[in-house]
Amino acid sequence: MAQHAVITKPRAAAEGADLSQATTQELYKELLARYGEDPDRDGLLRTPERMEKAMQFLTKGYAMNATQILRGALFDVAYDEMVIVKDVEFFSMCEHHLLPFFGKVHVAYIPNGKVIGLSKIPRLVDVFARRLQVQERLTRQIADAIEDAIQPQGVGVVMEAQHLCMMMRGVEKQHSATVTSAMLGVFRSEQQSRSEFLSLVRQRSSI
Ligand code: ZN
């Protein structure tokens, strides 16, 4: 046991180094060693570099701004029926385990004079999905961003996701899906709008 403790002792700490001075790749290399790997073996030589790039990509939402993305994609229209964008794929990382959760998000709103260019909805989802998240907050942030952008009569977001932290470890519920929703405006106050949205979500691609 004592020997094990010596092996896993933080290298940086052992050398009295300041971790804040270590590069991200050095930190990943250290992690690989602590997991019991030899970070110098061939297959792992460039892994810290790849991990850094992958994590930069998966967290790039922090540097993205919903308002900026929607700028130039808001249009005035006299349309007040429900706009629904279904089955937008997303991938995010759970903030509790840094493991992916992913699935589909369905977005609906009833305009109040303005609509959002449809191609912007998936980009808007990415702004918040490419951060460390919990599914409930991610769902709510998408709804809030749409509300802020166009002040619609109502907005609804339903998200169905599978969490690798549940599937790969612990309970291993491999087929369970977590469903969250955020309902604002008429989607919250009027049963009819909410039901219409939910029944459209439930219909599997009819076209
Ligand atoms: Zn998790």
Side-chain angles (χ1 to χ4, degrees):
M1 285 309 283
Q3 198 182 8
H4 183 73
V6 170
I7 291 166
T8 57
K9 194 171 177 184
R11 280 190 212 164
E15 291 159 14
D18 181 355
L19 277 185
S20 67
Q21 300 303 310
T23 65
T24 307
Q25 290 183 27
E26 285 166 352
L27 293 171
Y28 280 132
K29 190 173 172 184
E30 174 70 26
L31 278 177
L32 289 171
R34 290 199 199 183
Y35 294 152
E37 263 293 356
D38 168 12
D40 292 319
R41 71 177 172 83
D42 264 7
L44 293 179
L45 274 181
R46 292 189 55 226
T47 296
E49 181 188 334
R50 293 187 199 100
M51 290 169 82
E52 182 180 27
K53 281 191 180 142
M55 283 306 294
Q56 273 170 355
F57 179 82
L58 296 173
T59 57
K60 70 181 184 180
Y62 291 115
M64 293 161 78
N65 177 306
T67 314
Q68 240 165 24
I69 282 174
L70 297 178
R71 188 176 296 151
L74 305 180
F75 307 101
D76 293 322
V77 287
Y79 179 82
D80 62 359
E81 298 297 324
M82 191 177 298
V83 176
I84 177 161
V85 182
K86 267 177 65 168
D87 298 328
V88 178
E89 282 190 334
F90 78 91
F91 295 85
S92 191
M93 301 280 280
C94 91
E95 68 182 22
H96 300 137
H97 305 95
L98 257 70
L99 286 171
F101 68 98
F102 57 93
K104 285 177 174 177
V105 55
H106 316 288
V107 173
Y109 65 89
I110 298 176
N112 191 14
K114 272 188 176 14
V115 296
I116 299 174
L118 291 181
S119 68
K120 296 291 181 180
I121 300 284
R123 294 201 59 201
L124 182 67
V125 170
D126 280 345
V127 169
F128 301 107
R130 289 191 180 145
R131 301 178 186 200
L132 304 185
Q133 279 288 9
V134 295
Q135 186 179 332
E136 294 83 351
R137 185 174 63 228
L138 175 55
T139 309
R140 180 65 194 231
Q141 285 175 331
I142 296 165
D144 285 343
I146 292 170
E147 183 169 77
D148 287 350
I150 56 169
Q151 290 85 46
Q153 296 178 52
V155 55
V157 176
V158 171
M159 180 171 276
E160 311 168 50
Q162 293 192 298
H163 292 248
L164 286 189
C165 59
M166 284 178 71
M167 296 164 77
M168 292 177 73
R169 50 176 280 287
V171 286
E172 296 189 18
K173 293 193 186 307
Q174 303 196 352
H175 300 289
S176 67
T178 306
V179 181
T180 49
S181 66
M183 302 287 172
L184 305 176
V186 294
F187 284 84
R188 173 172 288 272
S189 59
E190 287 175 22
Q191 173 71 31
Q192 197 192 332
S193 301
R194 194 164 58 239
S195 304
E196 186 184 344
F197 171 39
L198 293 176
S199 76
L200 286 166
V201 164
R202 267 182 229 115
Q203 275 173 26
R204 289 298 149 200
S205 349
S206 45
I207 41 170

